[in-house]
Amino acid sequence: TCSQCRVKEGPKPLHVRIWECGACGAVLDRDVNAAVNVAKAAGLAVSACGARVRPGLLPAQRDETGTHPKPRPTKARQTGIALL
């Protein structure tokens, strides 16, 4: 898909790194064109659902606060017995 005019010309072999759009004549680098298309699609998705790209910080849920207890080693680890 051309990032300039949005015309879909179809898949191209991977060895084609630069191509010219048959509709608008734009000369496009394959990777840059793909990155522009992805960025435009992300912007459309965000504007469609109304979400902010980087929402503000939220406080942790009550059950997520504090430190978690460290797991105790099992008896097998203390004695050096390997578990198979």
Side-chain angles (χ1 to χ4, degrees), residues 17 19 28-37:
R17 306 311 301 166
W19 56 282
L28 304 161
D29 176 274
R30 181 186 199 111
D31 297 327
V32 173
N33 184 64
V36 170
N37 285 336

Side-chain angles (χ1 to χ4, degrees), residues 1 8-14 30:
T1 302
K8 293 183 182 181
E9 289 192 6
K12 299 187 177 15
L14 289 178
R30 181 186 199 111

Side-chain angles (χ1 to χ4, degrees), residues 22-74:
C24 71
V27 177
L28 304 161
D29 176 274
R30 181 186 199 111
D31 297 327
V32 173
N33 184 64
V36 170
N37 285 336
V38 168
K40 285 181 180 180
L44 291 173
V46 168
S47 64
C49 68
R52 294 183 354 202
V53 175
R54 292 193 180 266
L57 296 176
L58 299 174
Q61 299 294 322
R62 250 192 176 332
D63 59 340
E64 294 178 355
T65 59
T67 58
H68 299 283
K70 292 183 181 178
R72 292 185 173 171
T74 63

